[in-house]
Amino acid sequence: MKSFFNKFSGLKKSARSNMITLALCLAAFGFVTAMVATGNASRHMKSLLVPICINIILTVSLNLVIGFLGELSLGHAGFMSVGAYAACLFSIAFEETLPVMVRFPLAMLIGGIAGGLFGLLVGIPVLRLKGDYLAIVTLAFGEILRSIIINLEFTGGASGLKGMPQDSTFNWGFIAVVITLFVVMNLVDSRHGRAIMAIRENAIAASAVGININRYKLMVFTVAAFFAGVAGALYGHNYSIMTAGTFDYNKSIEILVMVVLGGMGNIRGSIISAVLITVLPEMLRGLADYRMLIYAVVLIAMMLLGTSEKFMMLRYRLAPKRLIKRALQERQNRKDEKEARKYG
Amino acid sequence: MAERIMVPVPPKAIIPSRDVGKRPILETHHLGIEFGGLKAVDDIDFAIGPSEICGLIGPNGAGKTTVFNLLTNVYQPTRGTILLDGYDTKGLSPDRVNRMGIARTFQNIRLFSNMSVLDNVKTGLHANMKTSFLSSITHGFGYSKAEKEADERAIELLKFFNMEHLKDHQAGALPYGAQRRLEIVRALATKPGILLLDEPAAGMNPSETAELMENIRRIRDEFNIAVMLIEHDMNLVMGICEGICVLNYGRIIAKGTPDEIKNNPKVIEAYLGKKAE
Ligand SMILES: Nc1ncnc2c1ncn2[C@@H]1O[C@H](COP(=O)(O)OP(=O)(O)O)[C@@H](O)[C@H]1O
Ligand SMILES: [Mg+2]
């Protein structure tokens, strides 16, 4: 045990922080699983577990684009839908022939690959655009995709796709979350991650130190779309019917709100805000009607607060790490005082 | 077979005595660029040998920064060619020419402000690190070894400028002089054959400037690379440059050693305005 702690404190700060994030997720998973096993979770609560996983994956992956690369993409729901349909069509085709233990991981992988492929295809022409233009074009992409899906035969058209096996479970969702976190957190803390953040910080300087900007933008776009596809696969196998309408721009905006609320480039924040935004509207049923309105207010508030110095100071002072440090410091001070009294 | 014709090369070297028998690390032919009809840079011809320190001077707006932007392919020239270590860089991207061996700093500092000092330097090492995408997303397959080597190399480079104690600081929060030095370290991390410095002493106090002069000399000696610098501080330019190129209205008006430049009437005129007849 001691050697584990020594090893742990010898790790890089970033690696330590990543391990803590994963450990917290594991603890939450254990807690929820125990609740369910002991019959302490209501049906309603249980029905939220897979959506929570889906939203965590969507938020963390979009944060890679918005928070780390610094580009605004509003097409995340589009990539999600590609993954959802690809995975569901696969599962329908192989429902009889493959056991679920093989079928569902494969379906998620196929969803991810389909999403990633679309990310790559859309990314190549689109990533030359910057800022607002990129946001508009990705938004349009999502909408175009939705109308195509509605007008196709094999996707079930406007009436939706039926007949996929209900393979999504909390366990599978959790595994997908862990893989997403593992990949994204590792990527960010690597030479590729530094290149991505350098582009956000200063694109001209990044290319002056040999970073191929288009290549890295495409990489981020593809990785994010891959995980959106995985989330889509989880989504598709969680309901008995899936319609293209679910993947409209409202969904993309919802993911954006989760990213912004959790903090740009803050993965732990993304997880927390994804949980909150999934659970709160369901808990406070009355709120559901005002969801989009609340999202708008949250977005505006975060934009205003995000640039306010006072708010930044407040966040800095209230950061858990600092609070703990201060508490420890105070305890130490009291101890020192006691010692001083004893001997003085 | 056609006979090979030897055409006499026009004298381009900023330091002519050094031209003999050496392939220049950087060479331009009739380089020029127009912005909406205005010739910001026109017909620039020069050559720099390996491990030479050359200055590019001239009044404000003369086109010095534009020359750097052309050399690093931030701008595509309207006419002329650039040869980097003998290779034509026409149409290549800025990141590509950096990897071919040209690195630079910026007149208005461009650091990765929200990243740590160490990460700024490690970003400079990016192209020389060979870890794959797979290794990055798994932190396996040689990731730890590569990161450790990068850390060591970055700290070595920071030590060169006495900055290693600042490695965990946020780059944007450094004092001005340290930011300028960090930009140089980051550029050096890319392993260039020639380093372009755009007003490296701007905003520095005299003692910092003196230290910078010493450092530029050490860069040339220890890294064995060429340095071209734009600078208004004449003590610095005359003190360390072996050759100087003077620009006015986008054209080269003089080239030569510091002594030649100091006494060149055209240069004096450009700096002090037209002499009364
Ligand atoms: N991108 C650009 N578009 C239009 N004009 C430019 C551009 N870059 C530079 N110029 C013009 O070129 C001239 C030279 O500028 P610059 O190279 O920055 O001068 P300096 O010698 O002070 O570094 C200036 O007149 C400037 O306005
Ligand atoms: Mg300039």
Side-chain angles (χ1 to χ4, degrees):
Chain A
M1 202 60 191
K2 190 153 186 200
S3 81
F4 171 77
F5 276 117
N6 284 343
K7 220 173 182 176
F8 184 74
S9 55
L11 281 173
K12 264 199 317 185
K13 206 171 131 205
S14 50
R16 226 162 28 203
S17 158
N18 290 351
M19 274 178 79
I20 290 173
T21 305
L22 284 177
L24 288 175
C25 287
L26 201 67
F29 174 73
F31 176 72
V32 172
T33 308
M35 291 268 286
V36 173
T38 54
N40 278 320
S42 68
R43 246 181 93 88
H44 188 200
M45 256 176 83
K46 277 192 270 183
S47 75
L48 285 177
L49 294 178
V50 174
I52 285 175
C53 294
I54 294 170
N55 280 341
I56 290 176
I57 297 170
L58 289 170
T59 309
V60 169
S61 58
L62 186 65
N63 205 343
L64 195 59
V65 182
I66 297 180
F68 290 97
L69 179 68
E71 290 290 355
L72 185 53
S73 160
L74 293 177
H76 222 49
F79 299 122
M80 183 187 175
S81 73
V82 173
Y85 279 96
C88 287
L89 290 169
F90 166 81
S91 289
I92 291 170
F94 289 90
E95 187 170 4
E96 309 296 322
T97 40
L98 289 174
V100 64
M101 288 302 285
V102 179
R103 188 178 64 220
F104 194 53
L106 264 181
M108 283 198 283
L109 187 66
I110 286 171
I113 291 173
L117 212 62
F118 262 72
L120 192 68
L121 287 178
V122 175
I124 289 169
V126 155
L127 283 174
R128 284 164 208 289
L129 303 172
K130 280 199 182 80
D132 311 345
Y133 296 101
L134 182 68
I136 291 166
V137 174
T138 48
L139 185 84
F141 154 76
E143 290 302 293
I144 291 168
L145 204 64
R146 191 166 56 94
S147 19
I148 291 176
I149 291 172
I150 286 176
N151 288 302
L152 284 178
E153 193 93 14
F154 67 92
T155 58
S159 58
L161 187 65
K162 294 184 213 57
M164 47 277 193
Q166 312 280 286
D167 290 343
S168 285
T169 61
F170 183 41
N171 289 357
W172 282 122
F174 180 72
I175 291 170
V177 166
V178 168
I179 293 174
T180 310
L181 288 176
F182 181 77
V183 168
V184 172
M185 289 190 306
N186 279 347
L187 178 62
V188 168
D189 180 25
S190 72
R191 88 176 170 111
H192 294 94
R194 284 191 294 272
I196 291 162
M197 286 183 275
I199 293 170
R200 171 195 72 195
E201 294 291 303
N202 197 314
I204 292 180
S207 63
V209 294
I211 292 164
N212 184 336
I213 292 181
N214 284 335
R215 194 181 143 203
Y216 281 96
K217 279 188 177 174
L218 210 55
M219 177 188 284
V220 170
F221 221 59
T222 308
V223 171
F226 175 92
F227 286 113
V230 172
L234 274 168
Y235 180 88
H237 293 77
N238 198 36
Y239 303 100
S240 50
I241 182 162
M242 176 169 71
T243 54
T246 335
F247 308 105
D248 63 354
Y249 63 88
N250 284 324
K251 183 66 194 170
S252 288
I253 299 282
E254 185 181 76
I255 310 167
L256 173 70
V257 170
M258 292 189 278
V259 171
V260 173
L261 189 66
M264 306 278 190
N266 183 344
I267 290 176
R268 231 178 276 170
S270 281
I271 300 171
I272 294 168
S273 85
V275 174
L276 281 181
I277 295 242
T278 321
V279 172
L280 278 185
E282 298 290 330
M283 292 285 142
L284 314 164
R285 263 289 166 201
L287 274 185
D289 297 338
Y290 301 102
R291 215 160 66 187
M292 288 319 283
L293 182 69
I294 293 169
Y295 289 168
V297 172
V298 166
L299 268 185
I300 293 169
M302 289 305 292
M303 293 298 166
L304 292 178
L305 290 175
T307 51
S308 140
E309 225 157 86
K310 269 192 195 143
F311 181 67
M312 299 294 250
M313 275 312 290
L314 191 73
R315 263 180 57 169
Y316 178 73
R317 278 212 305 271
L318 292 184
K321 220 188 303 173
R322 299 190 65 73
L323 288 179
I324 293 168
K325 229 185 197 166
R326 214 163 63 198
L328 288 176
Q329 185 64 49
E330 269 163 21
R331 214 179 80 181
Q332 188 62 41
N333 287 350
R334 274 201 301 275
K335 245 190 203 161
D336 290 351
E337 247 170 59
K338 241 190 211 161
E339 299 268 297
R341 266 206 299 275
K342 225 181 344 195
Y343 297 106
Chain B
M1 225 168 102
E3 203 176 322
R4 216 165 137 207
I5 306 163
M6 299 300 281
V7 184
V9 183
K12 290 167 171 274
I14 301 176
I15 317 163
S17 60
R18 293 231 182 169
D19 203 20
V20 191
K22 240 188 205 173
R23 181 159 95 182
I25 180 85
L26 185 68
E27 197 178 343
T28 66
H29 292 271
H30 306 297
L31 190 65
I33 187 168
E34 290 178 17
F35 293 115
L38 176 92
K39 285 182 176 166
V41 164
D42 191 19
D43 210 19
I44 300 283
D45 266 337
F46 68 76
I48 299 178
S51 62
E52 285 178 5
I53 301 180
C54 288
L56 183 62
I57 64 171
N60 272 324
K64 306 179 295 292
T65 299
T66 306
V67 169
F68 273 19
N69 283 334
L70 285 168
L71 295 176
T72 51
N73 284 28
V74 172
Y75 297 152
Q76 294 300 324
T78 330
R79 60 187 286 253
T81 44
I82 300 162
L83 298 180
L84 180 58
D85 203 13
Y87 295 99
D88 190 346
T89 63
K90 195 176 193 69
L92 301 179
S93 59
D95 55 287
R96 183 75 199 285
V97 291
N98 169 264
R99 296 196 295 274
M100 283 169 64
I102 192 164
R104 71 177 291 186
T105 65
F106 297 89
Q107 184 174 350
N108 39 356
I109 301 172
R110 289 177 178 274
L111 285 171
F112 308 131
S113 308
N114 291 310
M115 292 162 69
S116 71
V117 168
L118 187 71
D119 276 350
N120 268 266
V121 184
K122 281 169 85 179
T123 307
L125 293 168
H126 172 86
N128 290 311
M129 291 175 73
K130 293 290 173 247
T131 40
S132 65
F133 176 70
L134 187 68
S135 141
S136 283
I137 60 172
T138 56
H139 280 197
F141 306 98
Y143 166 87
S144 304
K145 185 165 168 277
E147 284 291 308
K148 198 166 152 260
E149 280 170 9
D151 281 337
E152 282 165 5
R153 179 77 188 125
I155 287 173
E156 212 175 285
L157 286 165
L158 285 169
K159 272 189 182 146
F160 193 85
F161 281 79
N162 283 326
M163 289 181 79
E164 74 274 18
H165 59 289
L166 298 172
K167 73 181 169 70
D168 292 323
H169 285 237
Q170 195 185 324
L174 293 180
Y176 198 74
Q179 292 199 13
R180 286 226 173 267
R181 273 181 290 158
L182 178 56
E183 252 203 331
I184 299 178
V185 178
R186 184 183 65 187
L188 281 174
T190 67
K191 268 196 187 171
I194 177 167
L195 176 65
L196 309 179
L197 304 174
D198 198 342
E199 305 202 11
M204 283 190 176
N205 61 38
S207 81
E208 279 178 321
T209 307
E211 198 187 319
L212 175 74
M213 268 171 85
E214 192 45 44
N215 280 333
I216 292 173
R217 237 183 249 126
R218 278 172 60 218
I219 288 172
R220 189 271 302 277
D221 294 342
E222 292 181 31
F223 291 83
N224 202 14
I225 60 176
V227 179
M228 186 173 203
L229 58 97
I230 296 174
E231 192 43 72
H232 287 298
D233 185 328
M234 282 306 138
N235 285 331
L236 187 150
V237 174
M238 297 298 167
I240 58 171
C241 292
E242 295 147 339
I244 294 172
C245 193
V246 189
L247 224 56
N248 198 17
Y249 297 112
R251 286 177 156 272
I252 292 179
I253 56 168
K255 255 186 312 203
T257 62
D259 283 332
E260 288 165 1
I261 295 298
K262 261 184 232 165
N263 302 316
N264 186 316
K266 275 197 203 155
V267 177
I268 295 167
E269 191 185 301
Y271 269 92
L272 302 177
K274 197 134 184 93
K275 269 182 288 181
E277 304 266 333

